[in-house]
Amino acid sequence: MLPGYPEFKEALPASGSEIAALPKEDRRSLKDMEGFFYEQYQGGLHARRHHALAWIMVQSFLRGVHYFNLDPSGGWSPIPADPDRPRAISPVIAPRYQHVMGFMNANAVGVSTIPIGNSPMSVADSQLAKDSLDYWLMEADIPTQEDIQNQVLLTEGTAGLFRYLDPFRQTVGLRIIHGSELFPVPYDARHPSECDGFQIASIVSKGWLELQDELYERQTGPRPTERMGDAAIDLPQGMALDLPQVGSGLTGGHHKGAMALFTYMKPTEQTPGGIYSCMIDRKIYRLAIGIDQKTGQFQTSTVMPYGKVPLEIIYFRKNPKDFWGTSLCESLIPSQLVSDREKTYFLRSTLNNKSVTWYDQEQVKPTSFTDDSNLF
């Protein structure tokens, strides 16, 4: 590990091991790891707070909710309409998003190959390679993943391309990770090349947690002492600064689940196979580290082949000295705020005075948009 990082024991259990039955010394080292990973996650939440605010605003505008509040804890709620104080909604972000999205999706993903040489074998090999890659594009549903990727890049500015082994289809799958779910380790890293690992935070359902318990029981025989399904709690379905992509644009409603934190650490001299862990709240339930005594392979071989983190970070626009990028929609927020406020003043002047009163947009402060109680 790098200086300043805790030293994690290589003898800690692998994924599927009974962590609760560890000796006291190993449990103490595991607690250090839990504290370190959770500390990095909390630091990442603070580091990207201004981005999270922008992500919530963008999601609200795209869903047609232009007037809203954020409470001190980061919770989001719409401001009810007042018939006596009409508010204007100006189409700025949504049309531009749809326009650019069409251009990006028009670039279909495909494969083209060129034979090396003029021999019949070269032509056959080239065609075989094209057929194989075309089959993978269809099997991994890459066109759908590309559409999701473009949505994430235009709204959050950062996306992760996560590769995983699909044992059912016996191929490599691809999943798009939202920028709002990505966290660097260390949390103050300014570029993916500076990271020693990555964290993915995601809301998982109670059914998913119970499935992990069932898979554990199938692989090992006995039931786990501490079941992941027991960690499920009532989670709100509205958006918040911690997970802006959660929610449908409305408040209210709960579902059973938990916040899962998946950590992938790059190989080091002490841990040549890297580290993988799955935490629920502040507790590690699954961990892969060290050598499997039965197979002689690294415990992380199934989740981190060749000891590499199966994640690539891409950006819409990379900011200097900032791990998270800026999206198209985020850059249009000031224009959206000014346009909404200007048209609201125009609308109220027309209704109240039966005449037109122009409002000087140079005097509009976008930062006060959600704080003007007189306007809303």
Side-chain angles (χ1 to χ4, degrees):
M1 288 293 175
L2 296 180
Y5 285 13
E7 294 186 1
F8 303 136
K9 287 190 59 176
E10 190 174 345
L12 286 175
S15 176
S17 298
E18 184 58 88
I19 294 177
L22 286 174
K24 182 181 295 185
E25 181 181 354
D26 289 346
R27 288 202 306 270
R28 187 181 302 114
S29 183
L30 187 66
K31 288 294 183 183
D32 293 339
M33 185 181 293
E34 291 171 343
F36 171 72
F37 288 160
Y38 191 77
E39 179 186 63
Q40 294 299 311
Y41 168 65
Q42 289 295 316
L45 287 176
H46 290 291
R48 62 126 208 219
R49 189 173 182 84
H50 62 291
H51 285 294
L53 176 60
W55 296 332
I56 286 185
M57 297 177 74
V58 167
Q59 293 293 338
S60 298
F61 291 141
L62 291 178
R63 292 163 179 168
V65 183
H66 287 226
Y67 300 91
F68 52 87
N69 281 323
L70 288 172
D71 60 40
S73 63
W76 174 95
S77 60
I79 300 176
D82 185 351
D84 298 328
R85 301 183 65 82
R87 304 177 306 203
I89 293 179
S90 178
V92 175
I93 290 181
R96 186 63 176 168
Y97 164 81
Q98 199 69 28
H99 181 72
V100 178
M101 186 71 180
F103 274 107
M104 296 178 70
N105 282 353
N107 298 320
V109 177
V111 178
S112 60
T113 58
I114 301 177
I116 300 177
N118 298 322
S119 66
M121 186 59 68
S122 297
V123 176
D125 290 343
S126 176
Q127 186 61 41
L128 178 61
K130 183 180 187 307
D131 293 341
S132 299
L133 290 174
D134 283 337
Y135 176 78
W136 178 77
L137 291 177
M138 177 186 66
E139 192 71 10
D141 198 13
I142 296 302
T144 299
Q145 298 303 316
E146 182 194 22
D147 179 67
I148 298 173
Q149 166 197 290
N150 294 338
Q151 294 178 39
V152 175
L153 288 177
L154 290 179
T155 55
E156 298 185 4
T158 308
L161 306 181
F162 183 83
R163 304 179 303 277
Y164 64 94
L165 297 176
D166 189 337
F168 177 72
R169 295 182 174 87
Q170 296 185 349
T171 185
V172 176
L174 185 67
R175 184 164 67 93
I176 306 302
I177 307 298
H178 289 245
S180 53
E181 295 180 329
L182 286 172
F183 296 87
V185 179
Y187 64 84
D188 57 352
R190 298 165 295 183
H191 191 273
S193 62
E194 300 179 1
C195 297
D196 300 307
F198 299 95
Q199 293 180 319
I200 301 175
S202 181
I203 295 293
V204 295
S205 66
K206 183 177 181 180
W208 184 91
L209 295 171
E210 292 175 342
L211 178 61
Q212 306 312 305
D213 294 328
E214 182 180 344
L215 293 175
Y216 172 91
E217 191 172 347
R218 290 181 182 179
Q219 294 172 358
T220 62
R223 297 180 60 184
T225 304
E226 296 180 328
R227 299 177 58 83
M228 296 178 69
D230 296 337
I233 58 175
D234 283 328
L235 295 174
Q237 293 181 321
M239 292 187 296
L241 287 178
D242 287 359
L243 288 172
Q245 81 283 5
V246 175
S248 60
L250 301 174
T251 58
H254 291 75
H255 69 281
K256 280 283 188 178
M259 205 287 291
L261 184 65
F262 304 92
T263 303
Y264 300 82
M265 297 295 293
K266 295 179 180 179
T268 65
E269 183 178 354
Q270 290 183 334
T271 56
I275 300 176
Y276 162 79
S277 76
C278 172
M279 294 180 61
I280 305 298
D281 195 13
R282 302 189 184 189
K283 184 177 182 58
I284 291 179
Y285 283 84
R286 297 291 184 268
L287 179 67
I289 183 174
I291 301 292
D292 190 332
Q293 301 301 324
K294 296 181 180 179
T295 64
Q297 297 180 341
F298 290 120
Q299 302 279 15
T300 56
S301 60
T302 57
V303 290
M304 296 174 58
Y306 308 107
K308 296 182 179 180
V309 177
L311 181 69
E312 302 295 335
I313 310 297
I314 58 175
Y315 297 95
F316 180 83
R317 191 187 78 197
K318 177 70 175 70
N319 299 320
K321 299 183 179 181
D322 190 354
F323 176 80
W324 292 273
T326 297
S327 68
L328 170 72
C329 294
E330 185 176 347
S331 65
L332 292 174
I333 288 178
S335 299
Q336 180 68 71
L337 299 179
V338 168
S339 183
D340 282 346
R341 171 167 282 195
E342 189 176 54
K343 285 182 170 55
T344 295
Y345 273 96
F346 177 81
L347 175 63
R348 291 181 180 177
S349 297
T350 302
L351 295 176
N352 296 334
N353 304 324
K354 307 301 180 182
S355 62
V356 176
T357 300
W358 290 102
Y359 185 81
D360 186 3
Q361 68 175 4
E362 296 297 329
Q363 301 299 318
V364 175
K365 296 180 180 179
T367 55
S368 65
F369 184 76
T370 57
D371 300 326
D372 192 340
S373 58
N374 294 325
L375 179 59
F376 304 126

